[in-house]
Amino acid sequence: MSDVPEFAGRRFKRGFRRLRLTDVYSAESGWSKDSRKLDFTTELALELLAGKVTQVRLRSRWESHDVSILEASLLRRLKGEA
């Protein structure tokens, strides 16, 4: 099983083995497709945040959801986790 961040997994009602990144959002360019089709991991979330991406659209086998990675990062900082 991939290293799926907990904040992303909570959005999905059904069980999953992996979440795929389908789209990314930044304030500068809006929503755009991510052609890499990568599994969403903590490492990828940090990479995207460094690239000024604030939201992602993730897909499991049965569901698709928009997830704010900026919000998760801010909450983690407030709790003193990172």
Side-chain angles (χ1 to χ4, degrees), residues 21-32:
L21 176 67
T22 61
D23 304 290
V24 294
Y25 177 86
S26 71
E28 297 163 354
S29 60
W31 283 102
S32 61

Side-chain angles (χ1 to χ4, degrees), residues 1-78:
M1 180 183 271
S2 62
D3 174 29
V4 176
E6 182 183 336
F7 70 88
R10 285 191 302 241
R11 293 293 307 249
F12 291 80
K13 294 175 188 156
R14 300 181 98 177
F16 58 86
R17 292 189 179 165
R18 66 182 189 200
L19 298 176
R20 289 284 194 160
L21 176 67
T22 61
D23 304 290
V24 294
Y25 177 86
S26 71
E28 297 163 354
S29 60
W31 283 102
S32 61
K33 288 279 182 202
D34 189 284
S35 61
R36 299 176 293 174
K37 306 272 186 203
L38 298 173
D39 288 348
F40 189 70
T41 63
T42 302
E43 187 176 318
L44 180 58
L46 294 172
E47 176 188 318
L48 292 169
L49 275 170
K52 300 190 182 198
V53 169
T54 57
Q55 288 189 351
V56 294
R57 187 164 291 139
L58 303 174
R59 180 157 182 76
S60 73
R61 186 173 181 170
W62 302 282
E63 301 174 65
S64 181
H65 291 285
D66 296 348
V67 176
S68 171
I69 57 176
L70 179 61
E71 180 182 333
S73 174
L74 293 173
L75 287 173
R76 193 169 52 240
R77 286 185 196 153
L78 288 174

